[in-house]
Every structure is written in C-alpha cells, then in structure tokens.
Amino acid sequence: MDHRFVSAVLVLLLGLTQVSLQKVDVAADVSTLIIEANKGMNHVLLEGDVALPKTRNAMKCLSQQCKWPKSASGLVEVPYKIATVYQSNDVDTIKRAMNGFATQTCIRFVPYAGQKNYLDIKSNGGCWSNLGRQQGSQPVSLDTSGCINNGVIQHELLHALGFYHEHTRSDRDQYVRVNFANVRSEYTEAFQKQDTNNQNTPYDYSSVMHYGRNAFAQGGETITPIPDSSVAIGQRAGMAKIDIQRVNKLYECRA
C-alpha cells in the first residue's frame, strides 16, 4: 500500500476528529457540562450543583460568616486537598484553574497543612460544591468523567467562595425571562430567585456562573435574555471580567 496514501488518510481523519471536538467544545456551556455530569446522582443539590444547608441563603453567604478570612498580608488563603484518584493532567488542570484566581484576585488556593477549614476536592459523583466557607472539611466534587474543565472548576470554586448562580440573582427579572413551562418539574427550584447581594455590579450574561438557555429543559429554552433575546448567555471558558470584579469586591482585594 502506498505510504503517502495512508498518511493522507490519517491526516484527513485527524482533521475530521479535531473539527468534531471543536464543535462539541463550542456548543457546550458550563451548565451543559455540569448537568450532564450530575445525571442520576443521589446527592441533594440546590440549583443543580450547590450542596447547601436549607438554613442558609445567598445574602447570609455573602456576609462575613461565609467568607474565607483575609490574612495580614491582604491575601485570602483557601486551603485545599486534592484526592489521589486524579491523574497528573487532571491535577494540572485543577491547579491552573486555581491559578486563574491568583493572577487576578487576592484569593490564593494553598495546599492543606493542617488548617481547620479546607476544601476537600474529590471525584465524588458529579460537579458540585457547598456555598461559602464551611467548618472543617468542605467537599468540592469534580468528577473525573465530566468536570475537569477550567470553566467548571472555576464555577465550583466560586460557589465555595460564596457565590450563587447569575440567573438566580435578585434582580434577574430585568435581564432574563425564566420559562418555567419548559423547565423539568424536578428542577424548578434551580430557577428560584435568591436574596443576593449584587455588590453594585451589572448583570452579566457572560458570567461563568450563568447557566445556558437550555438548562434543565424539557422542550424549548428555559432562560431567555431580555429585551434582546439574541444575546449569548453561558460559557465554559472561565471567569469573566465581572466575575473577577465581584471576587475582588466581596473579599476587598487591594488594587
């Protein structure tokens, strides 16, 4: 067989594979990835990926009691453990996502060294986190089968820092219409407004905390931007400019 022909076929197949992967990458926002990873799990979650005691709400978790403390240096150190189940490339991806906070905010995720409160990052069935600082070991689940993505990781870390989803913030009705008729009945709670502290920041359709148009849909889109329904919502790349701004405002990071 002509080796040049074989090589040409291999190049063509590789090119088609890359195109296919690119299409999937563009189509999937962070909510699509999280919802897919959380299918069939047994954990009781609010808003699809928040493990939260029912005695708390967004306003409480945007106050001092749910914030991670700031050190004398002005940095906010958040200790973490990463389970040994992850492959080295998974660990690298998680650490790169953490480093995104270090380069743009005063948040520093630091390896656990006996601290009382810390994030315990495990592949624990789906993508989810508690809201704000908890006492003791605080689980953050990043399942190896669907959650090792920069946007998903930063999304769950923002929950752990005290942030709810963008589409549930208190003033959302000015910016999006939730089509409850299109929401699967078991997930209507994922679209309830929260009593949030919005820190005088604008509503952000491009926030990594914003779910996509078809989150938990059963026919037709569940979230429609208003007044311009063509506005893009949801993404998977990572923290948007206003996400970073909110972290800096909440934790009073120095300029």
Side-chain angles (χ1 to χ4, degrees):
M1 183 178 291
D2 190 331
H3 291 294
R4 289 175 298 178
F5 174 76
V6 173
S7 297
V9 171
L10 289 174
V11 168
L12 176 61
L13 290 175
L14 178 60
L16 291 173
T17 300
Q18 290 175 334
V19 169
S20 176
L21 289 173
Q22 288 169 356
K23 288 181 179 178
V24 171
D25 188 71
V26 169
D29 58 43
V30 71
S31 63
T32 303
L33 298 177
I34 291 172
I35 291 167
E36 182 64 28
N38 290 357
K39 277 184 178 178
M41 61 185 298
N42 295 321
H43 299 286
V44 177
L45 301 174
L46 300 181
E47 298 193 9
D49 70 332
V50 178
L52 176 69
K54 292 184 178 180
T55 55
R56 285 193 168 173
N57 61 34
M59 182 61 75
K60 290 181 180 177
C61 275
L62 287 176
S63 68
Q64 293 296 329
Q65 69 174 347
C66 291
K67 289 169 59 177
W68 293 84
K70 182 180 289 187
S71 67
S73 67
L75 299 177
V76 177
E77 295 187 344
V78 181
Y80 69 88
K81 284 183 178 180
I82 297 180
T84 57
V85 66
Y86 296 105
Q87 300 293 323
S88 60
N89 58 320
D90 294 337
V91 173
D92 289 343
T93 301
I94 293 170
K95 289 184 176 180
R96 277 196 301 270
M98 289 178 168
N99 191 54
F101 288 85
T103 59
Q104 301 174 95
T105 76
C106 62
I107 305 297
R108 299 292 186 273
F109 292 96
V110 298
Y112 174 77
Q115 295 91 336
K116 179 180 178 181
N117 304 318
Y118 63 94
L119 302 182
D120 192 12
I121 300 172
K122 296 181 177 180
S123 180
N124 196 21
C127 323
W128 53 271
S129 172
N130 284 91
L131 184 70
R133 178 173 61 90
Q134 308 289 311
Q135 295 298 310
S137 170
Q138 176 174 334
V140 174
S141 178
L142 297 172
D143 198 90
T144 56
S145 64
C147 308
I148 307 303
N149 165 274
N150 187 74
V152 172
I153 296 165
Q154 291 190 344
H155 180 104
E156 300 306 338
L157 292 175
L158 282 166
H159 281 319
L161 291 172
F163 292 91
Y164 258 113
H165 293 126
E166 186 74 353
H167 65 277
T168 64
R169 61 183 265 171
S170 58
D171 62 349
R172 67 99 184 274
D173 290 338
Q174 300 175 46
Y175 306 98
V176 297
R177 179 176 64 252
V178 176
N179 308 303
F180 281 99
N182 295 335
V183 178
R184 290 159 57 188
S185 60
E186 66 269 33
Y187 290 111
T188 55
E189 189 174 16
F191 297 88
Q192 300 301 323
K193 284 190 295 184
Q194 303 296 335
D195 187 15
T196 55
N197 173 2
N198 300 320
Q199 304 177 86
N200 295 316
T201 58
Y203 191 92
D204 185 14
Y205 298 109
S206 66
S207 169
V208 77
M209 303 306 285
H210 204 304
Y211 271 11
R213 294 174 180 272
N214 299 308
F216 302 109
Q218 62 175 359
E221 64 184 29
T222 53
I223 305 175
T224 303
I226 54 176
D228 183 359
S229 61
S230 68
V231 171
I233 59 174
Q235 49 95 359
R236 62 179 289 185
M239 289 188 293
K241 182 178 179 179
I242 296 176
D243 290 322
I244 296 164
Q245 180 185 348
R246 288 179 187 140
V247 172
N248 285 326
K249 291 191 73 168
L250 179 61
Y251 281 93
E252 299 176 338
C253 298
R254 297 169 184 168

